[in-house]
Amino acid sequence: MLYALLGEVTPSAKSGCADAYAGPDLNDRPKFNVVIIYEDIAAGKRAKHFYDRVIRELVDECDFSLELWNFQVLAVPEIGNSAVKAAAQADFVIVSMYCKAQLSGQTRDWIERWSGLITDSKSALVALLDQPGMKRGTAASTLEYLRKVADRKGISFYTHTTFGLSTN
């Protein structure tokens, strides 16, 4: 069901949440682990808003775990290693960035370390941009890089655009 909200319907994901809700034991509910890595505070807020919208319909049927990490702190060895381990166990890793920004070498290194630990091809990578991607330039090369990482590991890849949030 969560995949349906991201744009891909998979029978196993859809039935898993519905079946879990039918039983009285909350421990049997499916759990989705989500890791967000984000460029700055605004990108982090966009990602958290996106996450909240995605889980809104499933929160009564599934359990969710969320960890958020800023690109800058991923360069700190202890923090980066913790984030790599968390992301390797995640069902979804959301990379929230600006369309015109390029991933730093440190962030690409983190992505490579994370992808090297992926053991479950049921996970997904979501690139969350602040505006629609362009066919050429920084956004296109960054998205192509992320798509290649996903393809190499056999995981799903999605792109999504979230415009600025209102202050209301």
Side-chain angles (χ1 to χ4, degrees):
M1 188 177 286
L2 190 58
Y3 287 98
L5 293 172
L6 289 171
E8 175 184 345
V9 177
T10 58
S12 61
K14 186 174 183 179
S15 64
C17 287
D19 293 344
Y21 188 66
D25 187 1
L26 294 179
N27 293 330
D28 291 340
R29 291 167 33 137
K31 182 171 184 177
F32 290 97
N33 297 310
V34 179
V35 169
I36 295 174
I37 65 167
Y38 59 95
E39 191 168 352
D40 64 10
I41 292 173
K45 286 180 180 180
R46 279 196 319 272
K48 178 62 168 72
H49 180 73
F50 172 77
Y51 167 84
D52 289 341
R53 283 191 358 245
V54 168
I55 71 164
R56 184 176 300 139
E57 293 181 36
L58 302 173
V59 74
D60 292 333
E61 300 173 18
C62 304
D63 292 323
F64 292 89
S65 167
L66 174 64
E67 294 193 40
L68 296 103
W69 308 87
N70 180 285
F71 285 2
Q72 292 175 335
V73 302
L74 297 178
V76 177
E78 298 81 19
I79 296 172
N81 290 337
S82 293
V84 161
K85 291 174 186 172
Q89 299 301 313
D91 297 293
F92 297 93
V93 173
I94 300 170
V95 179
S96 182
M97 60 196 160
Y98 294 96
C99 194
K100 295 181 180 181
Q102 187 169 359
L103 293 175
S104 70
Q106 291 174 331
T107 302
R108 283 180 181 248
D109 177 60
W110 183 90
I111 289 170
E112 291 300 322
R113 290 187 298 129
W114 155 65
S115 68
L117 295 179
I118 295 173
T119 58
D120 184 0
S121 63
K122 293 180 183 177
S123 55
L125 174 60
V126 179
L128 187 61
L129 302 171
D130 63 327
Q131 55 184 288
M134 299 166 224
K135 299 206 187 260
R136 290 185 283 229
T138 304
S141 66
T142 299
L143 292 177
E144 181 62 23
Y145 166 72
L146 293 173
R147 182 177 308 283
K148 285 181 181 179
V149 168
D151 289 347
R152 190 171 65 228
K153 296 308 292 185
I155 64 173
S156 299
F157 178 72
Y158 303 94
T159 60
H160 188 78
T161 304
T162 301
F163 298 98
L165 303 176
S166 69
T167 56
N168 297 341

